[in-house]
Amino acid sequence: MEIVIENLAHAIGDLQIIDRLDITIGSGEIVALLGPSGCGKSTLLRLVAGLERPTSGSITMGRHIRAAIVFQDHTLLPWRTAAGNVELPLEHHPISVAERRERVAAVLEQVGIADFADYYPKALSGGMRQRVNLARALVLEPTLLLMDEPLSSLDEQLREILLDDLARLWSERGFTCLYVTHSPDEAVRLGHRVMILSRRPTKIVEVVPIETPIEERSHFHPAIAAARETVWNLVRESRAPCHGT
Amino acid sequence: MKIGSIAHEAAPDSEAGSSRRTDFAFAASAPLVRPSFEPRSYPLVGWATFAVVLAAWQLVAWRQADAILLPSPIDVASALYGMMGTGELQADLGASLGRLTVGWVIGAGLGALTGFAIGLYPLARSSVLPLVNALFAIPKIALLPVFIVWLGIGELSKVTTIAVGVFSPMAIAAYSGMDAVDRNLIRMAQSFSVPTLAILRKVILPGMLPMLLTGARISGAIAIVLLVGAEMIAAENGVGALALTSGGLMRTDRLFAAVAILGALGLTASWLVGLAERALLKWR
Ligand SMILES: Nc1ncnc2c1ncn2[C@@H]1O[C@H](COP(=O)(O)OP(=O)(O)OP(=O)(O)O)[C@@H](O)[C@H]1O
Ligand SMILES: [Mg+2]
């Protein structure tokens, strides 16, 4: 098992955000997390990444994990170009400058913004920034990818393309992944399991396993369409009581 | 920039069109340009304003006729030229520039370091910050007599006054610049296991740079004010002393020349900071 989250609880001030959460994620598994806004998905990713210490409970991981986060908020360094931002994670690894440049160029190509390598973030569109964000996480060839709504501000076509890219990338590299999203479509396209979370304090409402191999999935695949409907209904149910609060 | 200029070109066109149109079309012909709130400026307008002020001054000086009360720009220019010939100007300006530079560099350097410490260490924030704030409120020229008693009437007391005056604004700029750095960026760097020292260099320092340069701009002006004060109170040479003695001798042409030099000094300082801003903050 790659990641074991046990009895996890987390509070910020008086606000109990996560309460007794147990998740086990296998090596090379993609777990999609769906949940209402503000339920603590980003917080959970930060905890898994070790950026914050949980109030109680434990998160154990395999030893040789290289984790990378795709953050939800804009976290590009404004004083660095797209290429410079993607280069950042590599700068503290023992690889030559030439190889560094090569890998940056390759990953920028991969997410389709090679032409904008020398642009500063202010001159990039929201979707382009998000792709730089993605490229920066991918450049280290992580074994664990923590993604926080990585495709949320992209247009539909690009989202399709990047979903296919992520699926292909996963079959090439087989990384483990926690994929936070608001989109049932994204969840059923990438997740081996889709977890639907409740409102704060976060609990798992339902887990939907999806058997179809990731490489075979598409928007129109019958099994995927069925899973999407299931997930949609569960999401609707999980949200129903929270209106007006 | 481009959008702005296109809109400006289009404006006269649409006005010409509106005169031919009927009344109800009038509202539609109003320019669609909204203020962009971008820090743009027209350099030529600055020079033109300067020229207009000079011309007006020349005119008033001619009509007013009393060259002692108000010397004309030409009088002032010739006084400047004369002092340059005798080498007085170079000597005074050199003395002033020396004090200004040494005082500013020491004060700004220590101030920035103190600001870093306040930004980085809660203990420094709790202990040093109140002192910095208290010091900021004291008119530093009032400390000159103290420094003269302690350090003598020589260069040291004047340089110290300037350094102390520059210290607080620079410290405040540094720590508030550090506070303003987006925590998410620091978290991001940490998530990629960027070492702490590198985070300081690659995230915090560039992030606080805009504020630091603003601090440099403000403290530069403060340094000039203190320089003149110190030179008027306790100096044989320097532009401040030149102004004071010229006034005492009713040589208002030289007095105005000294004032003009101080203005030029201020302009140069802010131009230098502007240069640094353009070089270092082109990402904005
Ligand atoms: N630094 C903080 N201080 C106080 N409260 C916080 C802080 N960060 C997050 N919270 C609270 O924690 C809760 C969960 O936040 P989080 O960002 O994890 O939600 P989320 O599930 O990612 O939401 P979204 O889907 O909108 O991104 C929210 O109620 C938020 O107000
Ligand atoms: Mg979030």
Side-chain angles (χ1 to χ4, degrees), chain A residues 37-43 46 72-73 148-149 180 182:
Chain A
S37 183
C39 77
K41 303 181 294 298
S42 300
T43 310
R46 281 199 297 272
Q72 178 178 16
D73 317 312
D148 201 348
E149 305 185 26
V180 169
H182 278 294

Side-chain angles (χ1 to χ4, degrees), chain A residues 10 12-13 15-18 35-46 52 72-73 148-149 180-182 197 200 202 239, chain B residues 187:
Chain A
H10 190 64
I12 300 178
L15 205 62
Q16 192 71 35
I17 295 168
I18 296 168
S37 183
C39 77
K41 303 181 294 298
S42 300
T43 310
L44 179 63
L45 286 196
R46 281 199 297 272
E52 263 168 60
Q72 178 178 16
D73 317 312
D148 201 348
E149 305 185 26
V180 169
T181 178
H182 278 294
L197 303 175
R200 240 183 20 232
T202 299
R239 273 178 208 199
Chain B
R187 274 224 184 99

Side-chain angles (χ1 to χ4, degrees), chain B residues 12-52:
Chain B
D13 242 348
S14 62
E15 269 165 35
S18 74
S19 62
R20 271 182 270 113
R21 281 185 213 130
T22 42
D23 266 345
F24 66 84
F26 186 74
S29 76
L32 285 167
V33 188
R34 299 270 154 77
S36 69
F37 298 105
E38 263 177 48
R40 281 186 295 163
S41 70
Y42 310 104
L44 273 181
V45 174
W47 290 106
T49 312
F50 186 60
V52 167

Side-chain angles (χ1 to χ4, degrees), chain A residues 46 51-52 67-69 71 73-80 88-89 91-92 120 122 136-137 140, chain B residues 181-182 184-185 187-195 198 201-204 206-208 282-284:
Chain A
R46 281 199 297 272
L51 292 175
E52 263 168 60
I69 308 189
F71 287 90
D73 317 312
H74 291 302
T75 52
L76 298 180
L77 299 176
W79 46 87
R80 286 193 179 211
L88 179 77
E91 287 167 7
H92 302 280
Y120 285 101
K122 73 157 186 202
R136 183 175 58 189
L140 267 179
Chain B
V181 175
D182 190 348
N184 284 327
L185 294 183
R187 274 224 184 99
M188 178 278 294
Q190 285 170 338
S191 83
F192 289 113
S193 356
V194 178
R201 187 161 53 83
K202 294 176 177 177
V203 181
I204 295 179
M208 65 192 290
K282 53 176 183 289
W283 47 271
R284 283 210 297 188

